[in-house]
Amino acid sequence: GENVEQHPSTLSVQEGDSAVIKCTYSDSASNYFPWYKQELGKRPQLIIDIRSNVGEKKDQRIAVTLNKTAKHFSLHITETQPEDSAVYFCAASMESGGSYIPTFGRGTSLIVHP
Amino acid sequence: DAGVIQSPRHEVTEMGQEVTLRCKPISGHDYLFWYRQTMMRGLELLIYFNNNVPIDDSGMPEDRFSAKMPNASFSTLKIQPSEPRDSAVYFCASAGAGAYGNTIYFGEGSWLTVV
């Protein structure tokens, strides 16, 4: 089955700095890569996703990049703010019975210091 | 829609007791997932259903765990007997079918402590 590795496990930055979280996946059949944000004590929620037919996607201060050849994808957060502090999960998905079942990474705890 | 609804939100139980976690998915969603989250293992997929049918239960840790989905609006995850190592947050999630990639919507989680 699919295996997703996520690094780093913890990332500490100063407010205003950029943060980068990297993930690798093992199955070349994976073609959908969502990112979820989980604030302390809350549920994970989708913040951005990328499909395998594009290499980059941006949404305001966050962007994702995908390198299918190398089987890795990354989340970039610019101008970090304290409210960005959370656990971020990457996932790799492939089609299964009409839907996409994700395999999640272990998560990255991002801490943004004011 | 109220989103995915889970109950109980918090439960403390003694080792050996039966625990039942409940979930109501978002109306119209064909997929329902049960995840377990711990510091050590992150988010683990335990089982998922498609149209009320269990598709993959390979993540269920052992026979003490069982899950059912008797209809499209209700699912249970049962642990019997419970053990301290079962302490975790259990998330139920649902997703629609079709389209190219689906957003998974998580419930708020059931925080289980087994003492």
Side-chain angles (χ1 to χ4, degrees), chain B residues 1-101:
Chain B
D1 199 311
V4 177
I5 299 173
Q6 291 186 245
S7 65
R9 290 294 316 282
H10 300 272
E11 177 146 351
V12 180
T13 190
E14 291 185 347
M15 182 174 62
Q17 296 298 306
E18 178 179 289
V19 174
T20 299
L21 308 179
R22 299 173 176 80
C23 176
K24 176 179 168 54
I26 292 173
S27 177
H29 278 187
D30 297 319
Y31 287 81
L32 183 138
F33 307 85
W34 282 101
Y35 288 91
R36 178 172 69 176
Q37 185 176 32
T38 60
M39 290 294 292
M40 291 297 294
R41 302 173 71 89
L43 263 176
E44 299 175 273
L45 177 63
L46 301 178
I47 185 171
Y48 78 92
F49 296 82
N50 178 22
N51 291 322
N52 314 337
V53 176
I55 302 299
D56 184 355
D57 65 354
S58 60
M60 296 286 262
E62 48 198 275
D63 291 346
R64 297 185 297 106
F65 286 70
S66 62
K68 295 182 179 179
M69 191 166 186
N71 58 62
S73 60
F74 184 67
S75 176
T76 59
L77 177 67
K78 189 171 292 187
I79 308 172
Q80 167 63 21
S82 58
E83 297 181 3
R85 60 193 169 118
D86 301 330
S87 297
V89 182
Y90 290 83
F91 285 102
C92 176
S94 69
Y100 184 52

Side-chain angles (χ1 to χ4, degrees), chain A residues 31-32 36 38 41-46 49 51-53 89 96-102 104-106, chain B residues 31 33 35 37 39-42 45 48 50 91 96-104 106-108 111:
Chain A
N31 54 6
Y32 173 62
Y36 285 76
Q38 184 180 24
K42 301 287 184 64
R43 73 188 85 186
Q45 292 187 291
L46 179 73
D49 55 17
R51 296 174 172 83
S52 59
N53 59 346
F89 293 94
S96 174
S99 188
Y100 287 78
I101 311 304
F104 285 95
R106 291 283 300 273
Chain B
Y31 287 81
F33 307 85
Y35 288 91
Q37 185 176 32
M39 290 294 292
M40 291 297 294
R41 302 173 71 89
L45 177 63
Y48 78 92
N50 178 22
F91 285 102
Y100 184 52
N102 296 102
T103 302
I104 290 185
F106 286 83
E108 293 188 313
W111 298 64

Side-chain angles (χ1 to χ4, degrees), chain A residues 4 6-11 13 19-23 34-40 44-48 61-64 75-78 80-91 104-112, chain B residues 37 43:
Chain A
V4 177
Q6 183 171 349
H7 300 279
S9 57
T10 304
L11 180 58
V13 300
V20 180
I21 302 170
K22 299 181 179 182
C23 291
W35 287 86
Y36 285 76
K37 175 183 180 182
Q38 184 180 24
E39 297 177 355
L40 187 63
Q45 292 187 291
L46 179 73
I47 55 170
I48 195 168
R61 294 185 298 107
I62 60 174
V64 291
L75 177 71
H76 304 252
I77 306 174
T78 58
T80 54
Q81 301 168 3
E83 52 264 39
D84 295 329
S85 296
V87 178
Y88 292 80
F89 293 94
C90 64
F104 285 95
R106 291 283 300 273
T108 295
S109 179
L110 173 64
I111 303 166
V112 180
Chain B
Q37 185 176 32
L43 263 176

